[in-house]
Amino acid sequence: QGLVYPIECVPYLIAMTTDVDKKIQAKSLSHLTTLQKAHPGFVQSKSIAGVNVSFVLQKVIKRSQAMQQTDPTVKPDLTVRGYVEQSGSGDILSMNHHLYALLRTNRSYRRAFSQQLLKMFDDSSLHQNTSLAYMLYITDNLAYFPYQLMDEPLYIIHQVDLIISVTGVNLLQSFKENLLNYEQKTDVQRKPSNSSILMAELDITERRTPQDGRVRARIRDRDIAVGVSIMPRCHGAGARRGRAPTRPRS
């Protein structure tokens, strides 16, 4: 009666093609094929939404299988993978291989679908908050899609290279800034405190010339000296501290 527009059913039909029940898979694929023939743009426009719903469906199936597990000593694996191994032949197919097979016949649809999936990995896109579990699911699907032409995987490789060339430098810089080891943290990046400058008997007003000094202390009849080096920088001064040679007190 016109209460439901056919395009609204497409994401759920796509998700049901990944169901463990073969009858549900076949019936859903039949409806998708009919829609693709009658309205070619319907399936492609809702393809990413269908992948999202299929991921949610697979999580529900994983939890259901974990609840049915009877052995309490075995920890259930709730990781959702984007591929499935065929029981008879042993072949590995992506979860959404039926969807890709429908879009593969049209080059523009196929490339638009692949590009939208790869945007999930782009740090500068709107999908920057994509979870790691969902990225793993997409990666498995991209790895096991039923490619037939050499152009299909080469296009994906080219798009991956573009994403890495744009965001790779930013990611590398983030790793360098957040994974500094102890020696790098105690190097010249650390801003010197006024107390350490005064204890080392250095000129606190000097901002242009490098300075070297020592902070001396007596601990358990030993003279301890900590070397302090002040190095001017563009944005303030940096300090480096290190233990100077010691000698027993006579």
Side-chain angles (χ1 to χ4, degrees), residues 162-226:
L162 291 178
I163 294 174
I164 293 176
S165 64
V166 173
T167 63
V169 177
N170 296 332
L171 291 175
L172 180 61
Q173 184 64 27
S174 298
F175 277 112
K176 287 182 177 180
E177 292 176 355
N178 294 294
L179 298 180
L180 294 175
N181 57 29
Y182 177 78
E183 293 181 357
Q184 290 174 319
K185 287 182 178 179
T186 57
D187 209 336
V188 296
Q189 290 88 352
R190 179 172 295 180
K191 185 177 180 180
S193 62
N194 292 334
S195 59
S196 62
I197 297 176
L198 293 175
M199 292 175 64
E201 300 179 355
L202 301 178
D203 187 0
I204 195 173
T205 62
E206 181 60 54
R207 293 291 184 270
R208 297 183 178 181
T209 305
Q211 301 183 76
D212 292 323
R214 289 188 178 186
V215 178
R216 295 179 174 83
R218 181 183 178 188
I219 300 177
R220 295 181 181 179
D221 296 331
R222 293 182 64 89
D223 290 331
I224 304 298
V226 178

Side-chain angles (χ1 to χ4, degrees), residues 115-130 135 163 166-167:
Q115 194 168 13
Q116 287 176 326
L117 288 178
L118 291 172
K119 281 184 178 179
M120 303 291 180
F121 301 90
D122 191 351
D123 187 57
S124 61
S125 68
L126 297 177
H127 306 285
Q128 57 183 349
N129 293 326
T130 305
M135 287 184 179
I163 294 174
V166 173
T167 63

Side-chain angles (χ1 to χ4, degrees), residues 53-99:
V53 179
S54 69
F55 175 68
V56 175
L57 175 61
Q58 294 304 314
K59 289 199 297 183
V60 173
I61 293 175
K62 276 287 186 179
R63 287 196 294 264
S64 176
Q65 293 174 348
M67 293 176 62
Q68 296 175 3
Q69 187 173 338
T70 57
D71 190 356
T73 61
V74 179
K75 185 178 180 180
D77 184 14
L78 298 178
T79 305
V80 177
R81 303 305 301 263
Y83 62 86
V84 58
E85 184 176 354
Q86 301 297 310
S87 57
S89 60
D91 297 334
I92 298 178
L93 296 174
S94 67
M95 282 289 184
N96 293 276
H97 67 278
H98 293 302
L99 172 61

Side-chain angles (χ1 to χ4, degrees), residues 37-57:
K37 292 179 180 179
H39 309 282
F42 277 14
V43 178
Q44 192 276 331
S45 62
K46 294 294 184 179
S47 57
I48 298 300
V51 175
N52 295 341
V53 179
S54 69
F55 175 68
V56 175
L57 175 61

